């Protein structure tokens, strides 16, 4: 047996989130897109909703809106969200559930807090990631993969100091059940104080971590990344190292997200992401003419 030595990546940048209002007026933390940082190929957006403790009646969502040309990945950490779409599809996302929606040629959908959750209030925390589709997949029929928390593979190191939920890709011997159009890694790691994880991320992938809670030391330089920060790894190795310092007061909770860049032109206009201006004009026209459908109450 040959043991391949992995080269660890350095950290290229630490990016702060901006706070912005989305949908009907809920606050998100967004590392990108923002001015001078519009995408991280093949990813188009990362939003962290909350964590926030909502009073009764306070929860807001995103009423009917379209998407074309990419995928939206919703991951609920706390609370309950419901969605409806133009294909007649509806569902409820509970804590730990993932919805990987391939919008492809187009859907119109709503993403709202569940009505009973809205009535009672409670803690809401969620993540939305936008994954770009390659040119050849932009107009495929829409597809949903809805994976309940119980079916998201969960793995641990032998000593229990690191736990991972494998949403896409592979980690600690566990393999994701979600299928992606291009190679994607989406891992939710929890590291106890004093724990280190070395995760393999092939060299051709663009990779970043997003810190949900606590802080960590990243890459060969052991750069500090805090709650709400995005840590961008350089493309200079085939693994990443992440540590929660031994003197930390909290677990380190983070997402490790990586994908092979598409290296294609990106033209985006709100909820449409295509390769050319003409395709954007077409998307606007198709939406206006109801060719992406509409939601039936
Ligand atoms: Co949406």
């Amino acid at each position: 047996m040959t043991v391949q030595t992995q080269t660890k990546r350095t950290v290229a940048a630490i990016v702060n989130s901006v706070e912005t209002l989305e949908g009907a007026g809920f606050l998100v933390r967004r590392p990108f897109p923002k001015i001078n940082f519009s995408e991280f190929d093949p990813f188009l957006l990362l939003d962290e909703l909350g964590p926030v403790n909502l009073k009764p009646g306070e929860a807001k969502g995103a009423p009917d809106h379209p998407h074309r040309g990419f995928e939206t990945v919703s991951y609920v950490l706390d609370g309950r969200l419901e969605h409806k779409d133009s294909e007649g599809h509806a569902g409820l996302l509970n804590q730990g559930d993932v919805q990987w929606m391939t919008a492809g040629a187009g859907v119109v959908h709503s993403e709202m807090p569940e009505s009973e959750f809205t009535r009672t209030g409670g803690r809401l925390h969620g993540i939305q990631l936008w994954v770009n589709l390659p040119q050849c997949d932009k107009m495929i029929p829409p597809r949903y993969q809805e994976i309940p928390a119980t079916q998201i593979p969960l793995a641990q190191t032998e000593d229990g100091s690191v736990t991972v939920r494998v949403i896409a890709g592979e980690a600690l011997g566990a393999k994701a059940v979600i299928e992606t159009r291009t190679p994607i890694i989406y891992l939710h790691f929890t590291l106890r104080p004093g724990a280190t994880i070395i995760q393999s991320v092939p060299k051709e992938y663009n990779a970043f971590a997003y810190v949900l809670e606590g802080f960590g030391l990243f890459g060969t330089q052991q750069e500090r990344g805090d709650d709400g920060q995005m840590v961008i790894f350089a493309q200079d190795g085939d693994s990443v190292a992440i540590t929660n310092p031994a003197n930390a007061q909290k677990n380190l909770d983070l997402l490790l997200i990586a994908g092979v860049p598409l290296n294609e032109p990106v033209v985006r206009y709100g909820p449409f992401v295509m390769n050319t201006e003409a395709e954007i004009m077409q998307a606007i026209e198709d939406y206006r003419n109801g060719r992406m459908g509409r939601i039936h109450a």
Side-chain angles (χ1 to χ4, degrees), residues 65 67 72 109 111 128:
H65 61 278
H67 293 289
T72 65
H109 74 164
E111 299 158 281
Q128 190 163 93

Side-chain angles (χ1 to χ4, degrees), residues 35-66:
I35 294 165
N36 297 325
F37 184 25
S38 59
E39 59 174 287
F40 187 65
D41 194 5
F43 306 106
L44 299 162
L45 170 147
L46 184 75
D47 273 354
E48 181 182 14
L49 165 63
V52 60
N53 288 308
L54 295 166
K55 295 190 185 84
E58 217 178 35
K60 293 190 185 87
D64 304 7
H65 61 278

Side-chain angles (χ1 to χ4, degrees), residues 144-225:
Y144 286 90
Q145 296 176 80
E146 263 158 355
I147 314 297
T150 50
Q151 282 173 35
I152 300 285
L154 181 74
Q156 266 193 343
T157 50
E158 226 160 85
D159 64 359
S161 66
V162 179
T163 303
V164 65
R165 287 170 175 79
V166 184
I167 296 168
E170 235 178 302
L172 296 176
K175 214 173 161 191
V177 295
I178 289 172
E179 296 165 1
T180 63
R181 300 296 304 186
T182 59
I184 303 289
I185 292 170
Y186 188 155
L187 304 170
H188 177 186
F189 279 109
T190 305
L191 280 73
R192 286 189 196 152
T196 290
I197 183 74
I198 295 166
Q199 170 65 38
S200 136
V201 179
K203 208 165 189 170
E204 64 272 21
Y205 285 59
N206 271 334
F208 71 94
Y210 181 77
V211 182
L212 295 169
E213 198 174 10
F215 72 95
L217 304 176
F218 295 83
T220 50
Q221 317 101 303
Q222 300 238 300
E223 270 206 56
R224 181 177 166 138

Side-chain angles (χ1 to χ4, degrees), residues 11 13-16 209-219 221-233 241-245 251-254:
V11 168
I14 307 275
V15 175
N16 291 319
Y210 181 77
V211 182
L212 295 169
E213 198 174 10
F215 72 95
L217 304 176
F218 295 83
Q221 317 101 303
Q222 300 238 300
E223 270 206 56
R224 181 177 166 138
D226 278 89
D227 178 2
Q229 287 186 316
M230 172 185 186
V231 178
I232 298 178
F233 292 98
I242 302 170
T243 296
N244 190 9
N251 283 344
L252 164 61
D253 214 24
L254 69 102

